[in-house]
Amino acid sequence: MTHQTLTVENSRIRVTVSREIADKFLPTGVTGRDESPGQAQRGRLLSAAMGKLASATELRLRLTNDIERADIIALAHKILVRDYLEEHSHYNVNEVIMRLEEGHLMHKYMAQEVTLANAHARGVLKPISQDDARFYVASRVMAGVLSSHECRQLETRVELLLSRIGIDATEALDKARHAVQAQANIAHHYHMCRANLAGWEIKVIGELPTHVGLSKLLPRDD
């Protein structure tokens, strides 16, 4: 018995799937005002096929790219910033982090706490030398007259930036490495599932875009 199939195409790709797969892409709710169920199904099939090609590309790239050291250090910095704020902040830490990551305005004292938290993180991961500290202080003193509060802030900041004897970056880096690896594993599993071509025949018949959403799209080997 010959299995029925459905073929749809646009200027980029031609997609053939079984009727069983095709039926899963039929709309169950209201379609667009000028769109029939068949047109909606066609659009969904073509979109899913492009997603499969993009996930196949992501998998190819992930096989050749190791976890970036810079990503681990960046996350370790964020972990240390949060740790410092959890211990020293007078504000809700989740709100501070939200404002920091989304670029929202902060009260000046909240911003000062964030500055110290960043100095703490840098002091753990990449401390400055005594010479760098002297230059750091001199550049800020020369920029203008500092109030007593600003002087205390500067002193605290420099102490945090200097080599932190007894403060070890290993724990923060290890937490960050595990988190980045876990995120990479989740992304890999997602792309493995989406790139599954069982029951799908996708033929490239035109020029493909360089990206589908946030995923790169490279020509297939075949």
Side-chain angles (χ1 to χ4, degrees):
M1 179 178 176
T2 303
H3 293 288
Q4 289 185 326
T5 61
L6 175 67
T7 298
V8 295
E9 66 179 74
N10 56 19
S11 61
R12 302 182 187 277
I13 57 175
R14 180 180 299 119
V15 182
T16 301
V17 295
S18 68
R19 281 290 175 180
E20 181 181 3
I21 291 176
D23 287 346
K24 295 177 182 179
F25 289 83
L26 280 169
T28 56
V30 178
T31 61
R33 181 181 300 175
D34 300 319
E35 185 180 53
S36 69
Q39 290 171 325
Q41 179 188 41
R42 171 184 175 278
R44 293 177 179 186
L45 281 167
L46 289 168
S47 177
M50 290 293 286
K52 287 180 176 294
L53 294 180
S55 281
T57 291
E58 289 287 343
L59 290 172
R60 286 164 56 190
L61 293 174
R62 288 170 189 276
L63 287 176
T64 57
N65 291 342
D66 294 329
I67 292 175
E68 294 290 339
R69 182 172 180 270
D71 292 339
I72 295 175
I73 293 175
L75 183 55
H77 184 98
K78 290 182 178 180
I79 289 171
L80 289 165
V81 165
R82 174 175 277 278
D83 288 346
Y84 183 90
L85 291 173
E86 291 282 4
E87 185 174 350
H88 299 282
S89 180
H90 296 86
Y91 301 91
N92 181 287
V93 174
N94 289 329
E95 181 182 352
V96 177
I97 296 297
M98 180 274 292
R99 290 182 175 277
L100 174 63
E101 294 186 346
E102 297 185 10
H104 293 175
L105 291 176
M106 297 184 188
H107 186 278
K108 70 174 184 177
Y109 294 119
M110 182 186 289
Q112 288 173 358
E113 288 184 353
V114 169
T115 297
L116 294 179
N118 277 315
H120 164 75
R122 183 180 172 185
V124 172
L125 296 171
K126 192 178 179 181
I128 64 176
S129 66
Q130 291 285 348
D131 287 341
D132 288 337
R134 281 191 286 271
F135 177 78
Y136 184 87
V137 172
S139 64
R140 279 151 181 78
V141 172
M142 292 296 291
V145 178
L146 300 179
S147 67
S148 58
H149 174 73
E150 289 170 330
C151 285
R152 289 194 300 273
Q153 285 282 310
L154 181 58
E155 181 181 359
T156 302
R157 203 177 313 155
V158 172
E159 287 177 355
L160 290 170
L161 286 168
L162 283 168
S163 180
R164 310 275 290 155
I165 297 173
I167 299 291
D168 194 349
T170 302
E171 182 178 357
L173 288 168
D174 195 49
K175 285 181 182 178
R177 181 176 59 81
H178 280 91
V180 171
Q181 183 63 64
Q183 187 177 29
N185 291 343
I186 291 171
H188 181 82
H189 179 72
Y190 166 76
H191 288 298
M192 280 285 291
C193 293
R194 194 168 72 150
N196 182 6
L197 291 176
W200 291 71
E201 181 182 334
I202 304 173
K203 183 175 180 59
V204 177
I205 58 175
E207 185 176 352
L208 294 176
T210 57
H211 288 77
V212 174
L214 298 178
S215 297
K216 292 183 179 179
L217 186 57
L218 300 177
R220 296 173 65 186
D221 296 332
D222 55 356

